[in-house]
Amino acid sequence: EAGVAQSPRYKIIEKRQSVAFWCNPISGHATLYWYQQILGQGPKLLIQFQNNGVVDDSQLPKDRFSAERLKGVDSTLKIQPAKLEDSAVYLCASSLSGQEAFFGQGTRLTVV
Amino acid sequence: QKEVEQNSGPLSVPEGAIASLNCTYSDRGSQSFFWYRQYSGKSPELIMFIYSNGDKEDGRFTAQLNKASQYVSLLIRDSQPSDSATYLCAVKRYRGSYIPTFGRGTSLIVHP
């Protein structure tokens, strides 16, 4: 069974630029999560989808972050414009049952 | 009070010993509890989850849940150097739906 796929693996951008991350969850997994993990901290949930509907986005900085999950499969997370404090690993995870989650390899973003 | 609290460590144990990792949570309505392992530079991977008070065992790992005292622990028996990693506790709290919240993790070092 293929795991959660994310791309790119690494991205370096200048502040005020925009960036997008892509996630393909495990086939059949209805629940998809985007997390932000800053070095030394635990993952922080940005947005949770159930199929193509948003379950929770209370911690998503909506003035600069957006996410979508068209057709209930792939998802993209966008940051525009990026700030220095957005430097982090962005993790995508998916779940079949809505309980245990399986993580992708993550995208390491550096904003300079 | 943080929603999910873990001692950041590091917790250092000798090879073959029992490692005990603890996590407390603030929301009494929390439903399910997860332990993830995260190696340096890698994504979290699920070790086990628990819903009910008491113990749940899986190989060398035992999760213990005490809802009255609002803590969950993970015991690792016969610790191996390969167990050296950060252990993340995650709790599902109700915010309209059950949403996962992670602690900052405890660093475990198993020395030969």
Side-chain angles (χ1 to χ4, degrees), chain A residues 35 37 42 45 98-101 104, chain B residues 32 36 38 43 46 92 99-100 103:
Chain A
Y35 289 91
Q37 188 172 25
L45 181 68
Q99 294 297 338
E100 64 272 28
Chain B
S32 43
Y36 287 84
Q38 187 172 28
S43 296
L46 181 69
K92 282 215 165 184
I99 305 300

Side-chain angles (χ1 to χ4, degrees), chain A residues 64-85:
Chain A
R64 299 185 301 107
F65 286 63
S66 64
E68 61 182 8
R69 191 183 184 195
L70 298 177
K71 301 181 181 179
V73 182
D74 292 9
S75 178
T76 56
L77 176 70
K78 297 179 182 177
I79 308 175
Q80 181 179 11
K83 293 185 175 181
L84 296 176
E85 59 260 36

Side-chain angles (χ1 to χ4, degrees), chain A residues 13-18 81-86 110-112:
Chain A
I13 62 171
E14 295 182 350
K15 60 184 179 184
R16 293 186 289 273
Q17 285 188 322
S18 62
K83 293 185 175 181
L84 296 176
E85 59 260 36
D86 297 332
T110 302
V111 182
V112 298

Side-chain angles (χ1 to χ4, degrees), chain A residues 6 9 33 35 37 40-45 48 55-56 58-59 91 98-106 108, chain B residues 3 31-32 34 36 38 41-46 49 51 88 92 95-105:
Chain A
Q6 288 189 248
R9 289 293 312 280
Y33 310 88
Y35 289 91
Q37 188 172 25
Q41 299 182 19
K44 171 188 168 185
L45 181 68
Q48 177 178 337
V55 173
D56 185 273
S58 58
Q59 299 188 98
L91 295 163
Q99 294 297 338
E100 64 272 28
F102 298 89
F103 284 82
Q105 292 181 298
R108 183 176 299 275
Chain B
E3 297 167 353
Q31 184 193 47
S32 43
F34 303 81
Y36 287 84
Q38 187 172 28
K42 302 295 185 182
S43 296
E45 52 182 341
L46 181 69
F49 56 92
Y51 303 121
L88 297 162
K92 282 215 165 184
R95 294 205 303 253
S97 296
Y98 281 96
I99 305 300
T101 300
F102 280 81
R104 66 180 301 156

Side-chain angles (χ1 to χ4, degrees), chain B residues 20-32:
Chain B
S20 178
L21 303 156
N22 299 311
C23 170
T24 58
Y25 59 94
S26 60
D27 186 346
R28 283 195 174 274
S30 299
Q31 184 193 47
S32 43

Side-chain angles (χ1 to χ4, degrees), chain B residues 11-17 19 79-85 108-112:
Chain B
L11 173 66
S12 182
V13 301
E15 184 175 356
S79 296
Q80 301 296 310
S82 58
D83 294 325
S84 299
L108 173 67
I109 298 172
V110 181
H111 54 87

